[in-house]
Coordinates of all heavy atoms in Angstrom, one line a residue:
G1 N 0.8 -1.2 0.0 CA 0.0 0.0 0.0 C 0.8 1.3 0.0 O 0.4 2.3 0.4
D2 N 2.1 1.2 -0.5 CA 3.0 2.3 -0.5 C 2.7 3.2 -1.8 O 3.4 3.1 -2.8 CB 4.4 1.8 -0.5 CG 5.4 2.9 -0.3 OD1 5.1 4.1 -0.4 OD2 6.6 2.6 -0.2
D3 N 1.7 4.0 -1.7 CA 1.4 4.9 -2.8 C 2.5 5.9 -3.2 O 2.6 6.2 -4.4 CB 0.1 5.7 -2.6 CG -1.1 4.7 -2.4 OD1 -1.1 3.6 -3.0 OD2 -2.1 5.1 -1.8
A4 N 3.3 6.3 -2.2 CA 4.4 7.2 -2.5 C 5.4 6.6 -3.5 O 5.9 7.2 -4.4 CB 5.0 7.7 -1.2
R5 N 5.7 5.3 -3.2 CA 6.7 4.6 -4.1 C 6.1 4.5 -5.5 O 6.8 4.6 -6.5 CB 7.0 3.2 -3.5 CG 8.0 2.4 -4.3 CD 9.4 3.1 -4.3 NE 9.9 3.0 -5.6 CZ 10.8 3.8 -6.1 NH1 11.3 4.8 -5.3 NH2 11.3 3.7 -7.3
V6 N 4.8 4.2 -5.6 CA 4.2 4.1 -7.0 C 4.4 5.5 -7.7 O 4.8 5.5 -8.9 CB 2.7 3.7 -6.9 CG1 2.1 3.8 -8.2 CG2 2.6 2.3 -6.3
A7 N 4.1 6.6 -7.0 CA 4.2 7.9 -7.6 C 5.7 8.2 -7.9 O 5.9 8.8 -9.0 CB 3.7 8.9 -6.6
D8 N 6.6 7.8 -7.1 CA 8.0 8.0 -7.4 C 8.4 7.3 -8.6 O 9.2 7.8 -9.5 CB 8.9 7.6 -6.2 CG 8.8 8.5 -5.0 OD1 8.2 9.6 -5.1 OD2 9.2 8.1 -3.9
T9 N 8.0 6.1 -8.8 CA 8.3 5.3 -10.0 C 7.7 5.9 -11.2 O 8.4 6.0 -12.3 CB 7.9 3.8 -9.8 OG1 8.5 3.3 -8.7 CG2 8.2 3.0 -11.0
A10 N 6.5 6.4 -11.1 CA 5.9 7.1 -12.3 C 6.7 8.3 -12.7 O 6.9 8.5 -13.9 CB 4.4 7.4 -11.9
T11 N 7.1 9.0 -11.7 CA 7.9 10.2 -12.0 C 9.3 9.8 -12.6 O 9.7 10.5 -13.6 CB 8.2 11.0 -10.7 OG1 6.9 11.4 -10.2 CG2 9.1 12.2 -10.9
E12 N 9.9 8.8 -12.1 CA 11.1 8.3 -12.7 C 11.0 7.8 -14.1 O 11.8 8.2 -15.0 CB 11.6 7.1 -11.8 CG 13.0 6.6 -12.1 CD 13.5 5.5 -11.2 OE1 12.8 5.2 -10.2 OE2 14.5 4.9 -11.5
L13 N 9.9 7.1 -14.4 CA 9.6 6.7 -15.8 C 9.3 7.9 -16.7 O 9.8 7.9 -17.8 CB 8.4 5.8 -15.8 CG 8.7 4.3 -15.3 CD1 7.4 3.6 -15.1 CD2 9.6 3.6 -16.4
K14 N 8.6 8.9 -16.2 CA 8.3 10.1 -17.0 C 9.6 10.8 -17.3 O 9.8 11.2 -18.5 CB 7.4 11.0 -16.2 CG 7.1 12.3 -16.9 CD 6.2 13.2 -16.0 CE 6.0 14.5 -16.7 NZ 5.2 15.4 -15.8
M15 N 10.5 10.9 -16.4 CA 11.8 11.6 -16.7 C 12.6 10.8 -17.7 O 13.2 11.3 -18.6 CB 12.6 11.8 -15.4 CG 11.9 12.8 -14.4 SD 11.4 14.4 -15.2 CE 13.0 15.0 -15.7
W16 N 12.6 9.5 -17.6 CA 13.3 8.6 -18.5 C 12.7 8.8 -19.9 O 13.5 8.9 -20.9 CB 13.2 7.2 -18.0 CG 14.0 6.2 -18.7 CD1 15.0 6.4 -19.7 CD2 14.1 4.8 -18.4 NE1 15.5 5.2 -20.1 CE2 15.0 4.2 -19.3 CE3 13.4 3.9 -17.5 CZ2 15.2 2.8 -19.3 CZ3 13.6 2.6 -17.6 CH2 14.6 2.0 -18.4
L17 N 11.4 8.8 -20.0 CA 10.8 8.9 -21.3 C 11.1 10.3 -21.9 O 11.3 10.5 -23.1 CB 9.3 8.7 -21.2 CG 8.9 7.2 -21.1 CD1 7.4 7.1 -20.6 CD2 9.1 6.5 -22.4
R18 N 11.0 11.3 -21.0 CA 11.3 12.7 -21.5 C 12.7 12.8 -22.1 O 12.9 13.4 -23.1 CB 11.1 13.7 -20.4 CG 9.7 14.0 -20.1 CD 9.6 15.1 -19.0 NE 10.1 16.4 -19.5 CZ 10.0 17.5 -18.8 NH1 9.5 17.5 -17.6 NH2 10.5 18.6 -19.3
R19 N 13.7 12.2 -21.4 CA 15.1 12.2 -21.9 C 15.1 11.5 -23.2 O 15.8 12.0 -24.2 CB 16.0 11.6 -20.9 CG 16.4 12.5 -19.7 CD 17.5 11.9 -18.9 NE 17.3 10.6 -18.3 CZ 16.6 10.4 -17.2 NH1 16.1 11.4 -16.5 NH2 16.4 9.2 -16.8
A20 N 14.5 10.4 -23.3 CA 14.5 9.6 -24.6 C 13.9 10.5 -25.7 O 14.4 10.5 -26.8 CB 13.8 8.3 -24.4
L21 N 12.8 11.1 -25.4 CA 12.1 12.0 -26.5 C 12.9 13.2 -26.8 O 12.9 13.7 -27.9 CB 10.7 12.3 -26.0 CG 9.7 11.1 -25.9 CD1 8.4 11.6 -25.3 CD2 9.5 10.5 -27.3
E22 N 13.6 13.8 -25.8 CA 14.4 15.0 -26.1 C 15.6 14.6 -26.9 O 15.9 15.3 -27.9 CB 14.9 15.6 -24.7 CG 13.9 16.3 -24.0 CD 14.3 16.7 -22.6 OE1 15.4 16.2 -22.1 OE2 13.6 17.6 -22.0
D23 N 16.2 13.5 -26.6 CA 17.4 13.0 -27.4 C 17.0 12.5 -28.8 O 17.7 12.7 -29.8 CB 18.1 11.9 -26.7 CG 18.8 12.3 -25.4 OD1 18.9 13.6 -25.2 OD2 19.1 11.5 -24.6
N24 N 15.8 11.9 -28.9 CA 15.3 11.4 -30.2 C 13.8 11.7 -30.4 O 13.0 10.8 -30.2 CB 15.6 9.8 -30.2 CG 17.0 9.5 -30.1 OD1 17.8 9.9 -30.9 ND2 17.3 8.7 -29.0
P25 N 13.5 12.9 -30.8 CA 12.1 13.2 -31.0 C 11.3 12.3 -31.9 O 10.1 12.1 -31.8 CB 12.1 14.6 -31.6 CG 13.4 15.2 -31.1 CD 14.4 14.0 -31.1
E26 N 12.0 11.6 -32.8 CA 11.4 10.7 -33.7 C 10.8 9.5 -33.0 O 10.0 8.7 -33.6 CB 12.3 10.2 -34.9 CG 13.5 9.4 -34.4 CD 14.7 10.2 -33.9 OE1 14.6 11.5 -33.8 OE2 15.7 9.6 -33.5
L27 N 11.2 9.2 -31.8 CA 10.6 8.1 -31.0 C 9.2 8.4 -30.6 O 8.5 7.5 -30.1 CB 11.5 7.9 -29.7 CG 12.9 7.4 -29.9 CD1 13.6 7.3 -28.6 CD2 12.9 6.0 -30.7
S28 N 8.7 9.6 -30.7 CA 7.4 10.0 -30.2 C 6.3 9.2 -31.0 O 5.3 8.8 -30.4 CB 7.1 11.5 -30.3 OG 7.2 11.9 -31.7
A29 N 6.5 8.9 -32.2 CA 5.5 8.1 -33.0 C 5.4 6.7 -32.4 O 4.3 6.2 -32.3 CB 5.9 8.1 -34.5
E30 N 6.6 6.1 -32.1 CA 6.5 4.8 -31.6 C 5.9 4.7 -30.2 O 5.2 3.9 -29.8 CB 8.0 4.2 -31.5 CG 8.0 2.8 -30.9 CD 7.3 1.7 -31.7 OE1 7.0 1.9 -32.9 OE2 7.0 0.6 -31.1
L31 N 6.3 5.7 -29.3 CA 5.7 5.8 -28.0 C 4.2 6.0 -28.1 O 3.4 5.4 -27.3 CB 6.4 6.9 -27.1 CG 5.9 7.0 -25.7 CD1 5.9 5.7 -24.9 CD2 6.6 8.1 -25.0
L32 N 3.8 6.9 -28.9 CA 2.3 7.1 -29.1 C 1.6 5.8 -29.5 O 0.6 5.5 -29.0 CB 2.1 8.2 -30.1 CG 0.6 8.6 -30.3 CD1 0.0 9.2 -29.0 CD2 0.6 9.7 -31.4
K33 N 2.2 5.1 -30.4 CA 1.7 3.8 -30.8 C 1.6 2.8 -29.7 O 0.5 2.2 -29.5 CB 2.5 3.2 -32.0 CG 2.1 1.9 -32.5 CD 3.0 1.4 -33.6 CE 2.7 0.0 -34.0 NZ 3.7 -0.5 -35.0
L34 N 2.6 2.8 -28.9 CA 2.6 1.9 -27.7 C 1.6 2.3 -26.7 O 0.9 1.4 -26.1 CB 4.0 1.8 -27.1 CG 5.1 1.1 -27.8 CD1 6.4 1.3 -27.2 CD2 4.8 -0.4 -28.0
V35 N 1.5 3.6 -26.4 CA 0.5 4.1 -25.5 C -0.9 3.7 -25.9 O -1.7 3.2 -25.1 CB 0.6 5.6 -25.3 CG1 -0.6 6.2 -24.6 CG2 1.9 5.9 -24.5
H36 N -1.2 3.9 -27.2 CA -2.6 3.6 -27.7 C -2.8 2.1 -27.7 O -3.9 1.6 -27.4 CB -2.7 4.1 -29.1 CG -3.0 5.5 -29.2 ND1 -4.2 6.1 -28.7 CD2 -2.3 6.6 -29.7 CE1 -4.2 7.4 -28.9 NE2 -3.0 7.7 -29.5
E37 N -1.8 1.3 -27.9 CA -2.0 -0.2 -27.9 C -2.1 -0.7 -26.6 O -2.9 -1.7 -26.4 CB -0.7 -0.8 -28.6 CG -0.8 -2.3 -28.8 CD 0.3 -2.8 -29.6 OE1 1.0 -2.1 -30.3 OE2 0.6 -4.0 -29.4

C-alpha cells in the first residue's frame, strides 16, 4: 500500500521517457503507438 513509491516510480519513468524523447524526438511516434496499444 505504498502509494508514494508508486508515484516516485511514475515520476522516474516520466523523466526517463522525456530524456529519450528529447534526445530522439522521432521516438514519439513509436511511444504514441505503444500508449494507444
Side-chain angles (χ1 to χ4, degrees):
D2 185 357
D3 293 336
R5 181 67 222 155
V6 173
D8 289 348
T9 301
T11 299
E12 188 177 352
L13 283 166
K14 178 181 173 182
M15 295 308 297
W16 189 3
L17 286 166
R18 283 183 66 176
R19 282 191 301 276
L21 293 173
E22 286 172 346
D23 293 345
N24 299 300
E26 65 278 1
L27 294 176
S28 63
E30 179 63 19
L31 180 56
L32 184 61
K33 180 180 173 184
L34 289 172
V35 166
H36 282 292
E37 185 174 337

